[in-house]
Amino acid sequence: MSALSLSFEQLLMKQSTSLINSDPKNFQTTWSEASFDVLDWFGIDRLTLYPNSMVLLEDGKTCSVSKANIPPVDKKSLVGGNYLDYLKLLKTNETYLTFTSDELVSTKNYVLKRIYKEGGRWHCIIPLQLFNQRWGALSFTNFHDNDTTFYLEDIQRLKLVCELWLCYWQHSTLARTLKQNENRLADDSEKLLLLTKKQTKVLALIAQGFSAKECAEQLHLSSRTIESHKYRMLGLLDLNSHNDLIQFALRNGLGLTENLHTTR
């Protein structure tokens, strides 16, 4: 079914179905494909998300999609002149900002002028908020010469679509993080098997905050032996520092007082 034949509610349902069934590691590809329906439904040639939350930061990358025969966003070409002035526009307190063809051609804003030189003839910026917290901005550009008219209802609907994207983006990020943690815990379990019973006791005491001397007193060993165990464990566990050793111990419950008592 063509996006143009969908009601707005059907568009949201189609977006939701596509994203919720996406493999978390392929979320951005799925989003890019699904967002073309949004371009068609709203009559937009190119849209770009400028996320600034920790959820969507993605190493500072913007996310953009363009219709066929429309130039994609070239971030490198936009970084120049007074491009920081454009970033200020993304943080506007207005509901939205629009720039007509005449405004784009006459502006002193470097990025807006570049957009006009690319062929852009109408540009809009919408700040995005969720739970009263700013999480980014959406900009979109039309390259055809006919007059573009967006009403407040259109802006509100676009914001709603972006909020839907954010929710599923958060979910995919969380799912990837949990999967990484599962893999790390599996690796930890294998690494724990490399430690001797004595090394496990030393590691538990270190995680409790005891110094090498205090560990030695409790285990009736020399401080030098404790240090030897410590550096041997760093090698066995493939860790780089004392702090890494403590984190490993706490992650695996070795720093808990009750655990410490059962290993003595």
Side-chain angles (χ1 to χ4, degrees):
M1 183 182 293
S2 168
L4 294 176
S5 63
L6 300 174
S7 68
F8 180 66
E9 291 75 14
Q10 289 172 326
L11 175 69
L12 286 180
M13 288 297 296
K14 187 176 181 182
Q15 291 286 302
S16 176
T17 301
S18 296
L19 297 177
I20 201 170
N21 291 323
S22 168
D23 187 318
K25 68 176 182 291
N26 297 327
F27 180 84
Q28 189 154 340
T29 299
T30 305
W31 170 80
S32 296
E33 294 171 353
S35 60
F36 281 104
D37 280 344
V38 175
L39 292 180
D40 290 338
W41 201 90
F42 285 95
I44 294 172
D45 291 334
R46 184 175 77 188
L47 68 79
T48 306
L49 273 175
Y50 298 88
N52 60 9
S53 76
M54 291 307 293
V55 175
L56 292 184
L57 190 58
E58 296 291 330
D59 297 324
K61 297 177 182 177
T62 57
C63 308
S64 183
V65 289
S66 308
K67 286 184 176 178
N69 303 318
I70 298 297
V73 169
D74 182 359
K75 293 185 287 260
K76 292 182 180 178
S77 72
L78 298 179
V79 178
N82 61 340
Y83 76 96
L84 293 177
D85 288 347
Y86 183 78
L87 298 184
K88 293 177 183 177
L89 294 177
L90 298 178
K91 298 179 180 180
T92 179
N93 291 322
E94 301 293 332
T95 304
Y96 63 99
L97 300 173
T98 61
F99 303 89
T100 65
S101 179
D102 289 341
E103 290 170 329
L104 290 175
V105 74
S106 62
T107 183
K108 293 182 179 179
N109 187 292
Y110 177 82
V111 174
L112 293 178
K113 192 174 290 292
R114 290 287 303 181
I115 290 172
Y116 183 83
K117 289 181 178 179
E118 287 180 326
R121 293 299 177 262
W122 189 86
H123 188 68
C124 181
I125 293 171
I126 305 176
L128 299 172
Q129 290 187 333
L130 193 65
F131 304 123
N132 291 321
Q133 296 294 320
R134 185 188 298 273
W135 65 269
L138 171 73
S139 77
F140 52 98
T141 306
N142 278 346
F143 287 72
H144 43 268
D145 290 328
N146 63 313
D147 293 333
T148 301
T149 302
F150 261 71
Y151 299 102
L152 181 58
E153 184 181 21
D154 298 315
I155 301 299
Q156 291 171 335
R157 284 175 165 176
L158 264 173
K159 283 187 172 183
L160 185 56
V161 172
C162 289
E163 289 162 4
L164 178 76
W165 287 342
L166 173 65
C167 291
Y168 285 118
W169 213 316
Q170 287 176 319
H171 175 77
S172 70
T173 302
L174 177 61
R176 290 195 303 271
T177 301
L178 291 175
K179 183 64 177 178
Q180 290 169 355
N181 287 341
E182 288 175 2
N183 292 339
R184 184 173 66 181
L185 289 174
D187 292 341
D188 284 356
S189 297
E190 293 178 1
K191 289 179 179 179
L192 279 171
L193 296 176
L194 301 175
L195 302 182
T196 65
K197 186 176 181 180
K198 182 71 71 177
Q199 287 171 336
T200 302
K201 290 180 179 180
V202 171
L203 185 55
L205 288 170
I206 290 174
Q208 287 278 301
F210 292 107
S211 65
K213 181 179 179 182
E214 291 168 334
C215 291
E217 291 173 353
Q218 292 211 32
L219 298 176
H220 308 291
L221 299 170
S222 68
S223 296
R224 181 174 295 179
T225 299
I226 297 297
E227 290 291 346
S228 177
H229 279 308
K230 174 183 169 181
Y231 288 109
R232 191 171 292 117
M233 285 189 290
L234 286 172
L236 287 171
L237 301 175
D238 194 25
L239 301 174
N240 297 316
S241 68
H242 180 78
N243 287 337
D244 289 344
L245 202 57
I246 293 175
Q247 289 298 318
F248 177 90
L250 294 176
R251 193 162 65 238
N252 290 279
L254 295 179
L256 301 177
T257 303
E258 56 269 28
N259 180 281
L260 184 59
H261 288 319
T262 59
T263 56
R264 286 179 181 172

